[in-house]
Amino acid sequence: MKVVAFNGSPRRDGNTTILINHVLRELGKGGVETELVQLSQKEIRGCIACYKCFKNKDQHCAVKNDIANECIEKMIKAEGIILGSPVYFTDVTAEMKALIDRAGLVSMANGGMYKNKVGATVVAVRRSGAIHTLDTMNHFFLAGQMIIIGRGIGVGKDKREVEKDDEGMQAVKELGQRMAWLVKKLYG
């Protein structure tokens, strides 16, 4: 059993990474293998709406010069997927949106590759926009007929500031525990 997490933050080891790592730590304690994919400093562009994925039906995006297909393959192989993003102008980062659009369309073109996988969302927020950001990522899960186990929100602006948010840190810890429990129930 494996859960793969995608960090959409351009800041490699910022608050979003801290939150995701707390979820992953609990998954590991629960006996679930984990992997963190940092989208920072990697190239991923938005969908160009060529619809070749519907023609090819090979579980890959036809645009092959970035990391989208590598991410899609990791999603296919995992039983659970975590999407994490800081709030940028009341929504996900451009990197996360590109991943959602590309991976989501390829899944739809191939009959729903992520159906019944377990999904969770994590958001690092400074002041506002967390719910809309969660909603954007949860739409990916809902469109893919996945099971959403929950979400974690941590408040903080400067690096490591989310660690001072006791309620947020508890929420991501419990999210990891619930996700481990459900992944093992469904796939163990």
Side-chain angles (χ1 to χ4, degrees):
M1 296 168 297
K2 184 172 184 178
V3 171
V4 61
F6 296 91
N7 179 9
S9 177
R11 289 159 88 188
R12 183 176 179 86
D13 293 317
N15 288 324
T16 308
T17 305
I18 291 167
L19 294 169
I20 292 170
N21 279 334
H22 274 76
V23 178
L24 297 180
R25 191 170 303 120
E26 294 301 318
L27 283 160
K29 288 179 188 176
V32 177
E33 181 185 348
T34 64
E35 179 180 0
L36 174 59
V37 177
Q38 303 267 15
L39 298 181
S40 65
Q41 301 169 351
K42 295 183 179 167
E43 187 135 351
I44 185 163
R45 285 173 301 290
C47 180
I48 61 171
C50 68
Y51 295 104
K52 289 181 182 173
C53 53
F54 282 88
K55 179 183 173 206
N56 297 339
K57 295 193 182 302
D58 63 358
Q59 298 185 332
H60 288 88
C61 179
V63 178
K64 303 198 185 296
N65 59 352
D66 64 9
I67 65 159
N69 283 316
E70 177 185 328
C71 294
I72 291 167
E73 287 175 21
K74 290 177 185 298
M75 288 181 182
I76 292 169
K77 292 176 183 173
E79 285 75 34
I81 300 168
I82 297 170
L83 298 180
S85 179
V87 176
Y88 273 34
F89 285 88
T90 316
D91 212 336
V92 296
T93 62
E95 294 86 351
M96 180 55 66
K97 184 62 171 134
L99 176 65
I100 288 170
D101 289 350
R102 302 267 297 282
L105 196 61
V106 169
S107 175
M108 291 171 76
N110 288 276
M113 301 181 317
Y114 317 128
K115 185 177 183 178
N116 295 327
K117 291 181 185 280
V118 179
T121 49
V122 174
V123 171
V125 62
R126 179 180 152 262
R127 184 170 315 279
S128 64
I131 300 304
H132 185 78
T133 303
L134 288 169
D135 195 41
T136 295
M137 293 185 287
N138 282 335
H139 284 140
F140 170 78
F141 296 142
L142 292 169
Q145 301 178 49
M146 292 178 61
I147 301 161
I148 301 172
I149 190 65
R151 52 67 177 152
I153 301 170
V155 178
K157 177 184 174 191
D158 296 323
K159 193 172 184 177
R160 307 206 72 82
E161 197 172 346
V162 293
E163 292 175 328
K164 297 175 188 172
D165 177 8
D166 293 335
E167 189 176 343
M169 297 308 291
Q170 184 64 31
V172 291
K173 179 180 178 181
E174 291 171 359
L175 177 61
Q177 293 167 353
R178 279 193 320 278
M179 193 169 197
W181 176 82
L182 186 59
V183 167
K184 289 193 301 191
K185 287 285 184 190
L186 292 174
Y187 296 101

